[in-house]
Amino acid sequence: MNLFDLTLFLMILLVVFQFWRMRAITEKANQHLAQYCDQHGLQLISNARHKTRLGSYRGKLDWQSCFVFEFSGNGENSYQGTLTMAGKHILKVDTPAYRID
């Protein structure tokens, strides 16, 4: 095994680790959004990752993610909200004014 093989192996390992980390962040976001909608009496329709970038949060380098989710308050209208995360930490959930029947 030479230096090129070792470097290639480490890069592949890093990519696999980051993929695994992104999946864990997405699962945490899905769980939080489901819980948030249950607590507020909303119906969660869908969610998707809007953007992700590498950034610093409390001195730690981690992924900064923004998720967009659709929800309904009355089963007829749908609205879009955003969930902002730093790593696995939920920073904020923004929802517009919505109708409840």
Side-chain angles (χ1 to χ4, degrees), residues 68-97:
V68 176
F69 64 99
E70 274 189 274
F71 64 95
S72 178
N74 60 5
E76 294 177 10
N77 301 330
S78 66
Y79 305 93
Q80 274 193 342
T82 59
L83 168 69
T84 306
M85 296 179 68
K88 287 185 171 183
H89 301 283
I90 286 52
L91 299 180
K92 65 180 177 177
V93 177
D94 289 326
T95 57

Side-chain angles (χ1 to χ4, degrees), residues 16-32 49 62-63 65 67 83 85-90:
V16 168
F17 173 75
Q18 291 305 319
F19 175 77
W20 203 325
R21 177 80 174 147
M22 295 293 276
R23 287 300 315 147
I25 291 170
T26 302
E27 288 177 17
K28 174 73 174 180
N30 291 341
Q31 290 173 354
H32 181 75
R49 182 185 306 272
D62 209 346
W63 294 107
S65 302
F67 293 86
L83 168 69
M85 296 179 68
K88 287 185 171 183
H89 301 283
I90 286 52

Side-chain angles (χ1 to χ4, degrees), residues 50-61:
H50 176 64
K51 64 181 175 179
T52 300
R53 63 181 175 87
L54 201 55
S56 177
Y57 176 68
R58 293 186 180 175
K60 181 183 172 191
L61 190 63

